[in-house]
Amino acid sequence: MKLKNALGVVIGSLIASASLQALAQGQGAVEVEGFAKKEMFDSARDFKNNGNLFGGSIGYFLTDDVELRLGYDEVHNAVGEDGRNIKGSNTALDALYHFNAPGDTLRPYVSAGFSDQSIGQTGRSGRNGSTFANVGGGAKLYFTENFYARAGVEAQYNIDQGDTEWAPSVGIGMNFGGGSKPAAPVPAPAEVCADSDNDGVCDNVDKCPDTPANVTVDADGCPAAAEAVRVELDVKFDFDKSKVKEESYGDIKNLADFMTQYPSTTTTVEGHTDSVGTDAYNQKLSERRANAVKDVLVNQYGVGGERIESVGYGESRPVADNATDAGRAVNRRVEAEVEAQAK
């Protein structure tokens, strides 16, 4: 299996698809990384010492969790039994499955794929080529939404020779773009007066037969009296998470429907955290939570972004006791409210 010929084409395609936005990792994101490996050669190779490998990779997130990664590295410091230096290169194509959610600080992963290796000895003609099946695992630690450090280990089975080698590795990388839009259930719209025969008059009520169509009505089918109406939103988050949970989409949709019904309204989405962690980290986490709810309102439910302001308050505005698990769970939240004059 020869992967090197496709290296330039695939890297070019992935770079062209990157979006240079400061968003959380997720579907559509591109990650580039520089890394170092320690190749633990199988004893059948008769090498005096193991090799140091240095290279780079580029990956594209097909989903929030699945990344396709293309890597290239070169072999250094390996020495044969005759004292001659071993030189060569590896080209690998792997798929990675990440755990936790985009935007989380720690994202463990498992990987599987194939690699092609070509090595030779200094002063000798000819090279040895081998194809490997790779499996591995590790974790990425995100210092920010766009920069991370990685540590992992791979088992490499030599398909051509039938032996297995190991390669622990570390790397530093950066992330561009990403962000997904999960689906959510659609609740029933608010009841309005129906005009099935298109005569301009509400036809599904008895007490107010002259009510115009498309007007919000009360239980009797009459136009609702003008009064102040409001919707409040309180979205809870798991510890150290900024991903909106599926059970919160219905409440966010209710607020979006209200803002659609009253198009002159605006709102401020406020993010909060519990007291675990530093002030600086919690400030960033609260901002990510507020932006996550705003993203659902704008991209999932079509509310204009200019009508929504997002702000994070970190741990500075608790509503419950941070000394207890229950209190901290209440404080990990995003709040918003909208008020309008109903007619």
Side-chain angles (χ1 to χ4, degrees):
M1 182 181 294
K2 301 298 182 181
L3 303 178
K4 190 182 298 184
N5 292 339
L7 181 61
V9 174
V10 175
I11 289 179
S13 300
L14 291 177
I15 292 177
S17 66
S19 172
L20 300 180
Q21 308 173 57
L23 300 177
Q25 315 87 19
Q27 183 176 3
V30 170
E31 285 189 344
V32 293
E33 179 184 309
F35 61 81
K37 292 183 179 181
K38 187 71 173 180
E39 182 82 6
M40 307 297 184
F41 292 112
D42 187 88
S43 59
R45 299 245 199 175
D46 294 327
F47 292 167
K48 282 187 176 181
N49 62 293
N50 297 311
N52 298 321
L53 282 65
F54 303 98
S57 67
I58 183 167
Y60 180 77
F61 278 79
L62 304 175
T63 71
D64 282 354
D65 303 316
V66 178
E67 177 188 9
L68 189 63
R69 183 182 67 186
L70 185 64
Y72 176 82
D73 58 70
E74 295 188 345
V75 180
H76 295 269
N77 304 115
V79 179
E81 285 294 323
D82 57 4
R84 295 177 182 269
N85 290 331
I86 305 296
K87 297 288 186 180
S89 63
N90 299 280
T91 305
L93 182 64
D94 296 293
L96 283 69
Y97 181 84
H98 297 75
F99 300 92
N100 293 340
D104 288 350
T105 301
L106 186 66
R107 297 206 73 187
Y109 69 87
V110 292
S111 64
F114 296 92
S115 60
D116 175 77
Q117 184 182 87
S118 176
I119 58 176
Q121 284 187 291
T122 303
R124 289 187 175 180
S125 61
R127 300 180 70 82
N128 173 261
S130 299
T131 299
F132 293 84
N134 309 321
V135 293
K140 296 177 181 178
L141 177 66
Y142 287 88
F143 302 110
T144 70
E145 290 183 346
N146 301 99
F147 293 93
Y148 69 90
R150 181 190 60 80
V153 64
E154 289 183 354
Q156 302 172 316
Y157 175 73
N158 192 321
I159 297 173
D160 300 315
Q161 298 179 194
D163 49 43
T164 301
E165 299 177 346
W166 297 86
S169 65
V170 293
I172 295 290
M174 60 188 306
N175 167 281
F176 301 98
S180 63
K181 304 174 180 62
V186 179
E191 181 181 358
V192 297
C193 178
D195 181 22
S196 60
D197 54 5
N198 297 315
D199 62 357
V201 177
C202 180
D203 55 20
N204 65 337
V205 295
D206 296 326
K207 294 187 177 181
C208 299
D210 296 327
T211 300
N214 300 319
V215 172
T216 303
V217 295
D218 59 20
D220 295 325
C222 299
E227 60 179 348
V229 291
R230 62 188 291 130
V231 172
E232 296 181 352
L233 180 66
D234 188 356
V235 177
K236 295 296 192 292
F237 289 80
D238 290 334
F239 175 73
D240 197 29
K241 297 294 190 298
S242 58
K243 183 177 181 180
V244 178
K245 295 188 285 188
E246 291 293 334
E247 57 262 36
S248 298
Y249 274 84
D251 293 336
I252 298 175
K253 178 63 164 57
N254 289 338
L255 185 140
D257 286 345
F258 187 92
M259 295 186 71
T260 300
Q261 184 178 0
Y262 299 98
S264 63
T265 56
T266 61
T267 190
T268 298
V269 179
E270 302 175 352
H272 304 273
T273 72
D274 59 28
S275 61
V276 179
T278 66
D279 290 348
Y281 181 85
N282 284 335
Q283 177 62 34
K284 291 293 186 182
L285 178 58
S286 67
E287 292 171 2
R288 292 200 300 271
R289 287 173 174 171
N291 287 331
V293 173
K294 178 179 178 180
D295 183 70
V296 174
L297 286 167
V298 173
N299 295 313
Q300 188 71 25
Y301 299 126
V303 180
E306 72 280 0
R307 299 173 60 193
I308 306 169
E309 180 182 0
S310 61
V311 61
Y313 291 107
E315 61 183 78
S316 64
R317 298 188 176 184
V319 294
D321 188 358
N322 274 311
T324 67
D325 289 340
R328 289 190 293 272
V330 172
N331 288 330
R332 298 192 292 266
R333 70 198 192 279
V334 165
E335 296 177 328
E337 63 180 39
V338 183
E339 184 171 309
Q341 194 72 19
K343 297 182 179 179

